[in-house]
Amino acid sequence: MLDVAIVGGGPAGASAALTLARAGFETLVIERSQFPRTKACGEYLNAGAVALLCELGLERVLAPMAARLDGIRLSGNGVRTELRFSRPGWALPRAQLDDALLQSALSSGARLLQARVEDVTQEESCAVLAIRETDGEVRAVRARMVIGADGAHSIVAKKCGLTVESFGAQRFALGGHYSGFTDLEPFVEMFVEGSSYFAVNPFDAAHANVMVIVREKDLAARKDDVDPFVRQRAERLSGNASRFSEMRLDGKRIAVGPLAHSTRGLTSGRVLLAGDAGGFIDPFTGQGVYLALRAGIAAAQTIAGALKAPSVAKGLLERYEDTLTRDMQLRERLAQVVRSFVRYPLLSKRVARNLRREPERARALVDAISGCGTVEAALRVGNIMRLVA
């Protein structure tokens, strides 16, 4: 029987596997995809994510592949605001990030099995995963603890009864790697209109990750001409038809959705959820990879403590649940506040004016989003109210 089985080899799963393997636990990563893989993502790593990757020892491998990002340029309702980071972030393709993280975990002693998890059950002394391997064979994997890090539509969360059904209008992300630019600078550019937005994350002056967030009905209406649709939406939201006229897709187009996933908890018996499997925060504020790394490391540390001292396991699991749930709630609230600032014309103009007048308050907001500061500081009533006054 294994010490730990981890479902999913993305940032949450791989960071957990790396942490556990280095601590001497027998760790198996079960991943259905072949790495390196293309992944639907804005491919923006905030300063908090960069710091965690450096703490994990991956700076030497990843830094040469990453492009430096100095801030965000946000446009909406005729207002343009530039927000600089206290510490730089990175633009880095997920194929490179995910593969480097997973390979580091494997080099540290974790094992990899390419298979799909189909069921999760629990016995007194272990959790049991029913997996289907690439040859079609179904077998059982037993582990003392399991981490579900299998993304926003987690089969682990579903089988453990933790998934909460989503209702209402759904949104999807479209995009990929594009070239044809000439003027990109080291800033993430975001153009917002209502619930839709368009983001450009530059790898250099001519190449970028481009993602457009759209409503389901818009996607359905344009499913047969996606690339012209992406270009048209980019031109409309940016207000600059010529700037994106030469934009062209390099390689594979990416689509993902719906962009919604919530759970009723992060733990169930011997199972912990980490990353998007535990709850999906709107990608608007770009915290996804940072939160996945934090959760993966925290899940690994929780399990390490529980396996070493079973008498305190229950308390450790409860602390994991409480700490991450509170943090997710605060960050979702922060994302909602930022979205409201951008979506409504009157608020947009006031906030843009006050961000220029009060750089310290602007810094607290940007630092919270980028992982350099606390969300509590940014959400204090005085800070928020002064920005909209």
Side-chain angles (χ1 to χ4, degrees), residues 272-325:
L272 286 75
L273 302 179
D276 287 346
F280 187 81
I281 289 183
D282 189 319
F284 180 78
T285 51
Q287 302 176 86
V289 175
Y290 171 59
L291 293 176
L293 292 169
R294 280 190 60 190
I297 295 167
Q301 293 171 338
T302 298
I303 286 176
L307 293 180
K308 289 178 180 177
S311 62
V312 299
K314 182 179 178 181
L316 292 174
L317 293 172
E318 289 175 349
R319 186 185 308 164
Y320 174 82
E321 173 102 41
D322 293 345
T323 301
L324 264 69
T325 297

Side-chain angles (χ1 to χ4, degrees), residues 32-370:
R32 65 181 181 179
S33 301
Q34 181 75 44
F35 279 39
R37 60 166 182 189
T38 301
K39 179 71 175 177
C41 178
E43 299 182 321
Y44 156 64
L45 302 180
N46 67 19
V50 173
L52 289 174
L53 290 168
C54 292
E55 290 175 15
L56 290 171
L58 282 103
E59 182 176 14
R60 182 182 60 82
V61 175
L62 293 177
M65 298 187 285
R68 176 189 173 108
L69 294 171
D70 293 328
I72 299 173
R73 288 172 177 162
L74 195 58
S75 301
N77 300 309
V79 177
R80 186 170 186 269
T81 303
E82 181 176 290
L83 302 171
R84 286 186 171 266
F85 301 142
S86 293
R87 300 198 305 268
W90 286 350
L92 181 65
R94 280 291 299 274
Q96 296 174 331
L97 169 65
D98 291 5
D99 191 50
L101 263 171
L102 184 57
Q103 291 304 320
S104 184
L106 299 181
S107 297
S108 297
R111 293 188 292 117
L112 175 65
L113 174 63
Q114 188 175 359
R116 183 175 72 247
V117 172
E118 297 191 340
D119 199 8
V120 183
T121 56
Q122 299 197 51
E123 300 175 354
E124 184 177 350
S125 61
C126 66
V128 184
L129 303 175
I131 65 164
R132 186 178 295 275
E133 299 193 63
T134 54
D135 61 3
E137 180 183 354
V138 178
R139 67 182 180 89
V141 171
R142 285 176 165 78
R144 296 165 68 192
M145 299 292 292
V146 168
I147 297 176
D150 50 335
H153 306 288
S154 168
I155 188 67
V156 176
K158 181 178 179 180
K159 294 297 182 179
C160 290
L162 295 173
T163 300
V164 176
E165 188 174 356
S166 298
F167 297 97
Q170 301 294 329
R171 295 180 305 151
F172 289 73
L174 290 171
H177 291 182
Y178 284 76
S179 60
F181 301 96
T182 59
D183 60 349
L184 297 178
E185 296 182 289
F187 287 82
V188 179
E189 295 188 66
M190 299 192 70
F191 306 91
V192 185
E193 177 189 67
S195 62
S196 294
Y197 58 90
F198 160 64
V200 179
N201 183 23
F203 300 124
D204 56 37
H207 302 85
N209 173 298
V210 175
M211 296 297 289
V212 180
I213 308 300
V214 297
R215 293 168 295 184
E216 186 173 12
K217 66 177 184 179
D218 294 328
L219 177 62
R222 301 297 296 270
K223 64 181 180 180
D224 295 326
D225 60 344
V226 171
D227 290 332
F229 172 58
V230 170
R231 187 179 296 105
Q232 290 165 15
R233 184 58 61 96
E235 291 173 353
R236 193 178 94 189
L237 294 185
S238 69
N240 187 338
S242 62
R243 188 178 180 204
F244 299 101
S245 61
E246 300 300 318
M247 185 176 75
R248 59 186 180 273
L249 179 67
D250 293 335
K252 184 178 179 181
R253 183 194 305 121
I254 302 169
V256 64
L259 301 179
H261 174 65
S262 58
T263 63
R264 64 183 81 257
L266 299 177
T267 61
S268 176
R270 295 177 175 272
V271 177
L272 286 75
L273 302 179
D276 287 346
F280 187 81
I281 289 183
D282 189 319
F284 180 78
T285 51
Q287 302 176 86
V289 175
Y290 171 59
L291 293 176
L293 292 169
R294 280 190 60 190
I297 295 167
Q301 293 171 338
T302 298
I303 286 176
L307 293 180
K308 289 178 180 177
S311 62
V312 299
K314 182 179 178 181
L316 292 174
L317 293 172
E318 289 175 349
R319 186 185 308 164
Y320 174 82
E321 173 102 41
D322 293 345
T323 301
L324 264 69
T325 297
R326 181 174 183 273
D327 187 54
M328 290 280 284
Q329 290 171 343
L330 286 172
R331 291 185 179 278
E332 179 55 38
R333 184 181 164 201
L334 178 64
Q336 291 172 353
V337 168
V338 174
R339 286 197 302 270
S340 70
F341 285 172
V342 177
R343 287 180 183 174
Y344 302 107
L346 181 59
L347 284 182
S348 295
K349 292 178 172 61
R350 286 180 177 177
V351 171
R353 178 197 65 200
N354 290 334
L355 286 173
R356 289 189 291 268
R357 288 180 177 178
E358 302 195 49
E360 289 305 313
R361 295 183 188 278
R363 179 75 63 192
L365 186 63
V366 176
D367 283 353
I369 294 171
S370 65

